Amino acid sequence: MKKTLAILLVFCTIFSVLTACAGTGDTSGPTKAPTTTAPTTPKTDPPSDGGLVLADLGAMPLITSGEYTLTIGIPQNVQVTDYYDNYLTNLIQEKSGLNLEFVFFPSTGPEAIQKLELMVSANQELPDLTTAINVGMLGKQNYGSQGVFLALDEYLENDSHWLEISKELYLTEQEKKDMYTYYTSADGHIYGFPYIVSDPTDDTSHSLWINNTWLTTLGLEMPKTTEDFYNVLTAFKNDDPNGNGTNDEIPFVGSTAWVSDPTFCILSSFVYFTPVRLNVDNGIISAPYVQDEYREGLRYLNRLVKEELLNPLSFTQDGASHKAMLDLTPDQDSYVGVFSGHPHTKFAVDSIKRMEYTSIPPLTGPAGVAYSPMELTGYGMSVHITRDAKNPQLVFRFLDMMCQDELSLSVRFGKQGDDWRFAESGEPARSENTTPVYWTSNKRWTTENNVIWNSNAFNFLPKGLFGAGVKQVYDNEATQYRQDDFFRSVAERVGKQPEQTVNILIYTKEEQEKINDFETNIKTYEAEQRVLFITGVRDIDNDWDNYVNELKTMGLDSYLEIVQTCYDRMFK
């Protein structure tokens, strides 16, 4: 009852605000889709095909008479034992009043994209909508300009209800603007429904983890600066912190696995450095890897390698080898002092060894820089209404209906009351500085079942909702520590980025063609040279100018000009 009342109050607030803005001509920033003439004219009046009558906007079921079979193109997930005899399917049919029919695509991304391409080129009938087939922003625009994917601009303006409510409940003002910025193609149209699915912990997964047991054994404090870090690593190397009498300790090691490259965290103590490898200051795009601060960071990392504090295996070993160094049996002596990466990928869920490690907050470099690398997630959902949708307005209202938190949480977690429920008063939050909204057992996502589709097919789970979980309680002490220590660490990294960052860039077709000539070669060369400088194969003093000149020869200046043009179009 309280939840229903809250939603009604929010909706009334939205209506009042929109009415006031209409009367005063307020232009403080878009909270609805930008208005641009769409290449296809959507239907605005409820059609009555075969006696089909649409319900009022926001009402459920979505139709008051007639029948409609909604065809959904989706990659078939092998973990789903049955899509038709399925809790989520039945729930959606009950809520919407529609019948669901599936058109299955291959489970692997490239094969699913290829099947869609073949269907389009052969002029085969497409399902009403496709989901989880990631054709990319340029693909969206290409299919949109051909009329394969419908422009949703006017639908977003006229047929959004639950999306508007969820935006007010769970998005910040900046996120409301970002939602449309990151879903608007370079031609000014929105071809994909702007779902957001973002676990806030994923944005800041680049992190460093230290053996806290070793710190205690040696009487050391948590390092706060890069010089502190150097001194701690030196002690780990020389002072036998595992107490086995042999010099077997590896002070610091990473790998080539996901978010496990040690350079991003360390270099961000000198200059902000992420896998995007682009920075922005006062609207001006720059490449950090040709700046003096980056060079000083390389010099510091080279010092760690030369003094056998950072293991060179960090640049060649895979994730399995990295995990094997860390996830030891209880009777084995730990021999790694610091590792880079997401700790959930380095230890078993109930590993006792995980309890020896805790996070290192962003280290402060010699110039006072203490950034944490961030990668913006959640804006890449691929849900499109196709040219063959028999009733595009109804299909859009279906997508809008799925923005309700109850349905979005069911898509992700499963059966309400069993796999998840709304939070109760007084329950502790999973993460700091959040008010819990829901509890989940989180048992369905990686298991075989006929409860969900194991896909973020149609759900609106931005950080304000996805990150608002109740703290889970486990019987196993190691599992409890694993959860609590990780979620505690997230607060150390959130907000430790520059005021302006480069995240998602949406190029025109012409820009993308030019970018393709530069970006891959430049990024590959930079990554290779970074390792060569750090490991001492190249000399940071004698070879630096040649390195910078080679980047310019490869077209760095032209590359940055294209990026600047794209950034200006999106944000100025």
Side-chain angles (χ1 to χ4, degrees):
M1 181 66 183
K2 290 180 180 179
K3 181 169 183 58
T4 302
L5 181 58
I7 290 176
L8 287 172
L9 288 172
V10 170
F11 180 66
C12 290
T13 301
I14 296 169
F15 181 80
S16 299
V17 170
L18 292 176
T19 303
C21 289
T24 60
D26 179 55
T27 57
S28 59
T31 58
K32 297 204 72 171
T35 54
T36 309
T37 303
T40 55
T41 303
K43 302 172 184 176
T44 56
D45 296 321
S48 56
D49 305 336
L52 186 71
V53 178
L54 273 62
D56 291 340
L57 182 61
M60 293 187 298
L62 301 176
I63 53 177
T64 59
S65 67
E67 290 189 1
Y68 191 92
T69 297
L70 179 71
T71 53
I72 299 172
I74 186 172
Q76 187 167 15
N77 192 307
V78 296
Q79 291 182 317
V80 182
T81 57
D82 196 316
Y83 277 84
Y84 288 96
D85 181 17
N86 184 286
Y87 168 79
L88 179 61
T89 302
N90 293 331
L91 175 67
I92 291 174
Q93 291 183 143
E94 175 189 344
K95 295 289 186 180
S96 67
L98 309 179
N99 301 313
L100 300 189
E101 183 177 297
F102 297 95
V103 177
F104 292 116
F105 284 71
S107 59
T108 60
E111 292 181 2
I113 293 170
Q114 183 180 42
K115 178 176 178 178
L116 178 62
E117 290 174 349
L118 292 173
M119 292 178 72
V120 170
S121 62
N123 202 30
Q124 296 179 15
E125 183 176 359
L126 300 174
D128 287 324
L129 58 85
T130 62
T131 181
I133 303 173
N134 188 8
V135 298
M137 280 305 301
L138 191 58
K140 291 174 191 275
Q141 182 174 320
N142 288 340
Y143 280 136
S145 63
Q146 298 169 28
V148 176
F149 293 158
L150 302 189
L152 305 183
D153 309 52
E154 291 189 34
Y155 292 121
L156 286 163
E157 185 69 26
N158 300 318
D159 288 278
S160 292
H161 174 79
W162 294 107
L163 174 61
E164 298 304 311
I165 291 175
S166 290
K167 279 165 50 181
E168 294 303 318
L169 285 172
Y170 300 117
L171 295 186
T172 66
E173 291 304 311
Q174 184 60 51
E175 286 172 332
K176 292 174 190 176
K177 296 177 182 179
D178 287 346
M179 185 180 82
Y180 291 112
T181 298
Y182 293 137
Y183 273 102
T184 301
S185 292
D187 65 1
H189 300 298
I190 297 175
Y191 297 109
F193 193 89
Y195 288 121
I196 302 173
V197 180
S198 180
D199 184 338
T201 66
D202 287 343
D203 286 9
T204 58
S205 291
H206 285 276
S207 48
L208 300 177
W209 301 81
I210 193 166
N211 194 313
N212 201 37
T213 302
W214 287 10
L215 288 177
T216 301
T217 297
L218 299 181
L220 301 172
E221 295 183 355
M222 179 68 69
K224 294 182 174 62
T225 68
T226 51
E227 196 60 25
D228 292 342
F229 187 60
Y230 167 81
N231 291 332
V232 165
L233 294 180
T234 301
F236 283 175
K237 176 189 174 185
N238 297 328
D239 297 346
D240 191 26
N242 66 9
N244 64 3
T246 62
N247 187 20
D248 61 347
E249 288 85 359
I250 296 176
F252 181 20
V253 65
S255 73
T256 60
W258 175 61
V259 300
S260 297
D261 184 331
T263 63
F264 290 103
C265 287
I266 297 299
L267 287 171
S268 287
S269 295
F270 296 82
V271 62
Y272 188 58
F273 193 67
T274 76
V276 176
R277 286 179 266 177
L278 290 167
N279 288 344
V280 59
D281 185 28
N282 290 322
I284 305 302
I285 297 292
S286 64
Y289 44 84
V290 293
Q291 296 175 353
D292 289 340
E293 295 86 351
Y294 173 87
R295 186 182 185 183
E296 290 307 306
L298 294 182
R299 201 184 305 278
Y300 175 82
L301 285 162
N302 174 249
R303 177 188 183 195
L304 298 186
V305 170
K306 282 198 299 188
E307 299 188 26
E308 299 181 341
L309 303 179
L310 172 59
N311 195 304
L313 283 174
S314 302
F315 308 112
T316 56
Q317 71 173 348
D318 62 14
S321 299
H322 199 195
K323 182 178 181 180
M325 290 180 162
L326 295 158
D327 196 19
L328 309 176
T329 60
D331 60 327
Q332 290 179 291
D333 293 324
S334 296
Y335 59 92
V336 172
V338 175
F339 69 88
S340 50
H342 196 307
H344 286 10
T345 66
K346 309 303 178 187
F347 299 90
V349 172
D350 58 353
S351 173
I352 295 295
K353 289 297 181 180
R354 170 65 178 88
M355 297 178 69
E356 295 181 11
Y357 292 87
T358 193
S359 61
I360 303 176
L363 297 167
T364 301
V369 173
Y371 290 131
S372 177
M374 183 194 74
E375 293 185 86
L376 187 65
T377 61
Y379 292 90
M381 313 316 294
S382 298
V383 182
H384 308 100
I385 301 176
T386 76
R387 67 188 180 196
D388 293 319
K390 296 174 289 296
N391 192 313
Q393 185 180 32
L394 176 57
V395 177
F396 180 89
R397 289 192 180 184
F398 164 78
L399 298 176
D400 176 72
M401 180 194 78
M402 296 304 296
C403 290
Q404 296 175 74
D405 48 14
E406 176 183 343
L407 289 175
S408 289
L409 290 166
S410 295
V411 169
R412 177 71 184 198
F413 297 118
K415 186 176 181 180
Q416 185 176 358
D418 181 9
D419 301 316
W420 75 272
R421 58 171 171 77
F422 285 111
E424 298 173 358
S425 177
E427 287 191 294
R430 184 182 68 177
S431 302
E432 294 182 18
N433 305 318
T434 62
T435 300
V437 174
Y438 69 95
W439 168 90
T440 179
S441 64
N442 205 23
K443 65 183 179 182
R444 300 293 184 188
W445 189 251
T446 57
T447 61
E448 286 191 359
N449 67 85
N450 66 335
V451 177
I452 59 176
W453 302 342
N454 292 63
S455 170
N456 289 311
F458 314 113
N459 47 351
F460 191 80
L461 293 176
K463 294 180 179 66
L465 177 55
F466 206 157
V470 170
K471 177 180 177 180
Q472 291 176 294
V473 178
Y474 299 95
D475 294 331
N476 184 284
E477 181 184 11
T479 304
Q480 190 70 53
Y481 179 86
R482 171 185 183 265
Q483 175 195 251
D484 295 347
D485 187 56
F486 176 70
F487 284 112
R488 174 205 55 76
S489 77
V490 173
E492 297 174 344
R493 299 186 292 276
V494 171
K496 301 299 175 63
Q497 295 80 34
E499 184 176 345
Q500 292 180 308
T501 58
V502 180
N503 297 297
I504 300 169
L505 294 169
I506 300 169
Y507 298 106
T508 65
K509 181 179 180 180
E510 294 73 20
E511 288 168 346
Q512 188 67 63
E513 289 173 350
K514 293 177 182 177
I515 283 287
N516 290 341
D517 292 336
F518 300 120
E519 189 170 45
T520 300
N521 290 337
I522 288 172
K523 284 191 170 183
T524 300
Y525 178 75
E526 184 278 322
E528 291 172 348
Q529 298 305 303
R530 188 191 330 151
V531 173
L532 294 179
F533 280 127
I534 290 170
T535 55
V537 176
R538 296 199 73 178
D539 186 274
I540 295 172
D541 294 314
N542 296 330
D543 294 328
W544 178 258
D545 289 343
N546 290 334
Y547 157 76
V548 173
N549 289 334
E550 181 61 26
L551 285 168
K552 290 184 178 296
T553 300
M554 297 172 76
L556 177 61
D557 292 337
S558 298
Y559 168 59
L560 294 177
E561 286 178 9
I562 297 169
V563 174
Q564 186 72 60
T565 299
C566 176
Y567 184 87
D568 290 347
R569 181 178 60 250
M570 292 178 66
F571 297 102
K572 289 187 176 181

